[in-house]
Amino acid sequence: MGVRICLGCMREIGDVERCPHCGFSREDVVLPNALKPKTVLHSRYVVGKLLSSDGEGNTYIGFDCNKECAIYLREYMPDNLCAREEETLIVEPGCDAKFKALKSDFLDLYQNLGELNSLENIIRVYDLFEENNTVYAVYLKYDAVPLSQYIREQAGELSWKQASELFKPIFESLAAIHTHGVIHRGISPETLMVTLEGKLILTGFEICAARVQHSELRSKIYEGYAAPEQYARMTPHGEWTDVYGLCAVLYKTLSGTMPPEANTRAVNDNLIPLAELNETVPLSVSLAVERGLTCDYRERTGNIRGLVSDLYHEGNFTISMDAVKEEATQYYDAAKKRPAANPVEKEPNGGKPGEKKEERPPIAPWKRVVLLCLPFVLLIAFLLYWVMVGFGCKSTNEPADDLNSAASSELTSDVSETESVSSDSSVSSEAAADLIEVDNFIDMNISEIQNNPMYDGKYSFVVEAQELSGYEEGTVVEQSIAAGTKVERGAELKLIVVTVPELTVTFPALDNLQQMTKDNLISNLRDDLHIPASKFADPVEQSHEIVPKGNVINIEGPNGIQPGAEVPLEDIQDGSITIYYSSGPAQQPEPEESTEEEE
């Protein structure tokens, strides 16, 4: 069973043509150099809307049919070196060498980022492959807003206490990527994103040629945040280049003002110290930011560790390289691999030059015999296994290839015909895993869960109702297996769902009613019993011999319900409660005076 999603935001849209969430429609114009929505890459990724395009390439939103989640796709597509025919890139005549050299830079960049995908404060690259004569990088989608928007929502600037906590993880992440030889060159309030949890994510990684003037590509430089060397031809780049960009962002964050453009400052440096613009900024911090914004890179703070030392020298924050984990990143065979580095020559003893080799005790004779015989024993065991089992393995694997091929064809056909992505898609570049990661259902409505085909077959739901006030009917407040736990597909998952107790209204008894004025009764019903004003009809005035003027005679509820009755609140419709009140005794008409006619 499939669910139809918007190719502009990857959210469910049902049968409507234009997405109610993002406004995307299949009728929207697609740029000539962009892939069309619904294109399937690597038999796995469905391409959605084009989000951005620059001299290096295109960024799309997409959907990973294996992981069943929204993603971002970055495509190497230098528009001044190539053009698109259908889905394939055709290199312009005479541009082959440049195209291939920059493509290699693109591969190197995203391979390095893939090796760092354990860092939570940069984009999480997890796949890299070649197709259509170009390269695609895949990274996880994040829900965040640009730092520039976040600053505007915080009255235009942050205090140093707020900013110091916000930026700490970014310092660690930048130090980590610098150790892998990656320089960002585009740090700005537009490439730093703030998540809903208040965490910074560094995005917008591009190759060097896209971040400098006078290069082979149509460059994108963030004025006010780009370092002076990005405008020059011969000045070297390094960690100090990102130090400049990060200090410029700190300046904007703490003052609400963008620093002057680097080229302007080289002629007339009128940078106002931060301490004069924000009283919460200590003088030491103001001076540290100024050193980081020095135009001459030789006098600028040289690396992130030095910047952290200057900013937090009175505190206890230091960069920990524990953030960089030794974590293997899987790439497919189509991805270009970097050549292996030349082996480092070592001393014979495996230690440092001049170090005395440690003498080891001689091996016992019986151990030598065992070591000599062991390879022959293993070889015989392998041959026996191959003879007994090997032929059966071959015959079993052949149909599996046909099934995978058929599944890939089925996915491509379904996406192109219906614009829908099946949550049960069988397309996979590798065998489907039996284990799944439990979703977080807390605060979701049970109807959304039960009507979402994405969860069909993933769990065996057991729903248990619990009466609670203060929640919307059907809200999930507890799940038996914590989110993120690995379980087998189809595992039983109990959900505790809120059921709201039925609200009833007991109308006052008739004796009590007639002791109350009309206004007192309405106030009592509205304030004490929480009956909305819309439920009342206009009061009706009637004469009464006993009930004092202004007091209630009677009340009539829905379906003729009388005083003293108990009625479910949901049964009371708008205008269904009528109050009758007294206008006092009826006035008797005065007798007419008769006049005798004179005879």
Side-chain angles (χ1 to χ4, degrees):
M1 184 177 180
V3 52
R4 191 162 183 264
I5 63 174
C6 168
L7 294 177
C9 62
M10 297 299 156
R11 288 190 277 184
E12 185 179 350
I13 59 171
D15 297 328
V16 299
E17 291 300 323
R18 186 167 293 278
C19 177
H21 307 294
C22 69
F24 177 82
S25 170
R26 64 179 181 177
E27 303 298 331
D28 291 348
V29 177
V30 179
L31 295 178
N33 284 337
L35 288 169
K36 294 180 180 179
K38 299 184 294 181
T39 301
V40 179
L41 297 174
H42 211 46
S43 300
R44 173 175 176 176
Y45 304 108
V46 181
V47 177
K49 176 184 176 182
L50 175 69
L51 300 179
S52 64
S53 180
D54 54 36
E56 180 198 69
N58 302 323
T59 301
Y60 309 87
I61 193 169
F63 191 88
D64 184 341
C65 295
N66 283 10
K67 290 180 174 288
E68 298 178 354
C69 66
I71 54 160
Y72 292 121
L73 282 158
R74 181 64 177 172
E75 177 187 44
Y76 172 66
M77 203 281 174
D79 53 7
N80 63 335
L81 301 179
C82 63
R84 190 184 300 280
E85 287 188 9
E86 298 296 333
E87 297 173 5
T88 304
L89 298 191
I90 306 299
V91 182
E92 299 288 350
C95 297
D96 285 331
K98 290 182 181 178
F99 181 87
K100 290 179 180 179
L102 296 175
K103 177 182 171 183
S104 178
D105 291 345
F106 185 93
L107 271 167
D108 287 344
L109 171 63
Y110 281 96
Q111 281 177 340
N112 277 317
L113 293 175
E115 292 167 7
L116 293 164
N117 66 0
S118 60
L119 297 177
E120 297 183 355
N121 295 93
I122 64 172
I123 58 173
R124 310 288 292 277
V125 178
Y126 69 89
D127 200 1
L128 185 65
F129 60 93
E130 292 192 55
E131 195 169 322
N132 300 329
N133 194 29
T134 187
V135 185
Y136 297 91
V138 183
Y139 54 100
L140 297 176
K141 183 180 180 295
Y142 45 81
D143 294 320
V145 298
L147 177 62
S148 56
Q149 177 181 332
Y150 179 79
I151 294 172
R152 288 195 299 270
E153 293 170 353
Q154 302 296 318
E157 64 182 40
L158 302 184
S159 67
W160 167 241
K161 182 178 179 181
Q162 292 172 307
S164 64
E165 292 300 320
L166 182 65
F167 279 82
K168 278 182 180 179
I170 287 295
F171 292 133
E172 284 196 335
S173 295
L174 268 176
I177 68 173
H178 285 166
T179 62
H180 274 61
V182 176
I183 307 299
H184 192 285
R185 300 181 181 86
I187 299 174
S188 74
E190 303 305 319
T191 55
L192 280 167
M193 310 294 287
V194 185
T195 67
L196 298 177
E197 296 79 21
K199 181 177 71 175
L200 276 180
I201 298 178
L202 181 58
T203 70
F205 288 87
E206 297 200 8
I207 60 177
C208 176
R211 291 285 188 232
V212 294
Q213 279 192 347
H214 315 297
S215 74
E216 307 96 320
L217 300 182
R218 178 168 53 90
S219 59
K220 183 176 183 179
I221 294 180
Y222 293 94
E223 295 182 358
Y225 306 98
E229 54 265 29
Q230 293 176 252
Y231 296 91
R233 290 181 181 272
M234 303 300 294
T235 310
H237 297 192
E239 296 180 40
W240 52 87
T241 306
D242 283 347
V243 167
Y244 188 99
L246 193 53
C247 285
V249 171
L250 281 172
Y251 190 94
K252 167 68 175 179
T253 303
L254 294 168
S255 69
T257 305
M258 182 181 74
E261 188 180 346
N263 281 348
T264 305
R265 293 184 59 214
V267 178
N268 179 24
D269 192 355
N270 54 359
L271 186 71
I272 302 174
L274 267 178
E276 297 180 15
L277 300 174
N278 187 333
E279 61 183 11
T280 71
V281 177
L283 179 60
S284 60
V285 172
S286 179
L287 293 173
V289 172
E290 285 185 55
R291 279 192 293 273
L293 288 173
T294 302
C295 290
D296 189 339
Y297 76 94
R298 292 165 295 188
E299 299 177 5
R300 190 186 311 154
T301 304
N303 53 48
I304 297 298
R305 289 177 179 276
L307 176 61
V308 168
S309 177
D310 289 345
L311 290 172
Y312 296 93
H313 75 283
E314 294 179 354
N316 58 1
F317 174 63
T318 56
I319 291 178
S320 170
M321 292 311 293
D322 291 340
V324 187
K325 300 177 182 177
E326 293 294 333
E327 185 173 296
T329 303
Q330 179 178 3
Y331 294 110
Y332 287 82
D333 293 337
K336 179 179 178 181
K337 302 290 174 66
R338 285 183 292 179
N342 293 328
V344 179
E345 294 184 3
K346 297 183 178 180
E347 291 296 307
N349 63 353
K352 298 179 181 179
E355 191 176 288
K356 185 178 180 180
K357 182 177 179 179
E358 181 182 356
E359 295 185 1
R360 298 181 181 179
I363 300 176
W366 68 270
K367 290 185 179 180
R368 293 178 183 272
V369 174
V370 171
L371 291 173
L372 288 172
C373 295
L374 185 59
F376 296 100
V377 174
L378 293 176
L379 178 60
I380 293 171
F382 173 76
L383 291 173
L384 288 173
Y385 176 81
W386 181 79
V387 170
M388 297 174 63
V389 184
F391 291 104
C393 293
K394 182 177 180 182
S395 61
T396 303
N397 286 338
E398 287 176 352
D401 295 335
D402 296 337
L403 287 174
N404 286 338
S405 176
S408 300
S409 301
E410 181 182 351
L411 172 70
T412 306
S413 174
D414 288 346
V415 172
S416 61
E417 290 293 328
T418 64
E419 292 187 31
S420 56
V421 179
S422 173
S423 62
D424 298 325
S425 172
S426 59
V427 177
S428 177
S429 59
E430 54 190 12
D434 293 329
L435 294 180
I436 60 171
E437 191 172 290
V438 175
D439 298 279
N440 184 12
F441 295 105
I442 304 300
D443 294 332
M444 291 183 65
N445 194 282
I446 188 63
S447 61
E448 297 176 5
I449 299 170
Q450 292 174 333
N451 295 329
N452 192 336
M454 179 178 290
Y455 304 125
D456 289 351
K458 289 184 71 173
Y459 312 98
S460 176
F461 288 114
V462 176
V463 179
E464 183 177 305
Q466 180 176 339
E467 286 194 359
L468 288 173
S469 58
Y471 290 90
E472 184 180 344
E473 179 86 19
T475 301
V476 177
V477 293
E478 187 178 336
Q479 60 188 71
S480 60
I481 305 175
T485 306
K486 299 282 188 179
V487 298
E488 290 187 3
R489 183 176 292 273
E492 182 178 292
L493 180 62
K494 181 188 289 186
L495 302 178
I496 306 299
V497 178
V498 171
T499 176
V500 179
E502 185 178 58
L503 299 178
T504 59
V505 174
T506 302
F507 289 117
L510 186 60
D511 293 343
N512 295 332
L513 281 175
Q514 295 180 348
Q515 305 298 320
M516 304 172 67
T517 66
K518 170 195 66 172
D519 294 336
N520 285 341
L521 176 60
I522 293 175
S523 175
N524 177 276
L525 294 176
R526 290 180 58 180
D527 297 341
D528 297 342
L529 302 182
H530 306 290
I531 300 178
S534 61
K535 305 294 184 182
F536 294 91
D538 292 335
V540 178
E541 187 177 27
Q542 294 179 342
S543 60
H544 201 280
E545 297 298 325
I546 300 175
V547 176
K549 183 178 181 180
N551 280 20
V552 177
I553 301 172
N554 198 1
I555 184 172
E556 189 175 276
N559 302 320
I561 292 177
Q562 297 298 314
E566 185 176 5
V567 186
L569 183 60
E570 63 181 17
D571 291 348
I572 303 177
Q573 305 300 319
D574 288 349
S576 61
I577 300 176
T578 304
I579 296 176
Y580 300 89
Y581 68 99
S582 173
S583 61
Q587 295 183 355
Q588 298 295 328
E590 296 181 1
E592 295 182 1
E593 296 182 359
S594 58
T595 57
E596 297 181 357
E597 295 182 358
E598 295 181 358
E599 296 182 354

